[in-house]
Every structure is written in C-alpha cells, then in structure tokens.
C-alpha cells in the first residue's frame, strides 16, 4: 500500500478538534487504540509518527556508554 498524500478533515471531539486516521494509515504506522504518536516540526511542515526522537537520542547515548563501559557493566551483572 502506498499513498503520497491523504486528505483528512478535522472533526469535533469534545472541546477539541481531531483527525480520524484511516485504518490503512494505522496499519502502516502499526498503531492501535491507546498508542502514543509524536508530532514533530519538519522543514516541510509537520510529521506524525510513532517514533519518539528524544527517546531515540537517549538510547543512542546509552549505547555509547554501554560500549565504553562494557567491562564495568559485565562486573555489575554478576
């Protein structure tokens, strides 16, 4: 399934406005009811994604520390 652009309408949800994502989009993003999505600003506008850039940054930093301190972590695991 490929889609370059979809047109979605804003709908009233309580005192807020929301978007209803078609099941094809939910499947593509591997999202289910209750999941969290992240809205990030991009050069082309905004992106909605299940990917958390801040968490990914933290995990990258953790991987660097784990690689540097492999011996210490191995001793702690005993």
């Amino acid at each position: 399934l490929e889609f370059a652009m979809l047109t979605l309408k804003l709908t009233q949800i309580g005192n807020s406005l929301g978007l209803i994502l078609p099941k094809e989009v939910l499947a593509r993003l591997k999202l289910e009811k209750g999941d969290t999505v992240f809205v990030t600003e991009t050069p082309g506008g905004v992106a909605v994604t299940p990917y958390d850039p801040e968490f990914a940054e933290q995990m990258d930093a953790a991987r660097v520390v784990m690689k540097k301190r492999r011996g210490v972590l191995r001793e702690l695991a005993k």
Side-chain angles (χ1 to χ4, degrees):
L1 170 71
E2 291 241 358
F3 48 85
M5 181 173 53
L6 291 174
T7 302
L8 304 174
K9 288 188 180 187
L10 292 172
T11 186
Q12 188 80 39
I13 301 174
N15 291 328
S16 300
L17 294 177
L19 294 172
I20 305 297
L21 298 176
K23 64 181 178 180
E24 296 83 7
V25 173
L26 296 172
R28 178 86 171 261
L29 294 173
K30 297 180 179 140
L31 292 172
E32 297 177 353
K33 181 180 176 181
D35 287 346
T36 300
V37 295
F38 300 88
V39 178
T40 52
E41 195 168 356
T42 69
V46 296
V48 177
T49 177
Y51 167 78
D52 179 356
E54 187 177 317
F55 178 74
E57 222 174 90
Q58 292 169 351
M59 287 305 297
D60 289 344
R63 284 185 193 96
V64 169
V65 170
M66 288 187 287
K67 188 173 182 179
K68 272 185 175 178
R69 306 288 184 207
R70 186 175 296 158
V72 172
L73 292 172
R74 196 172 290 129
E75 287 299 314
L76 288 172
K78 290 182 179 180

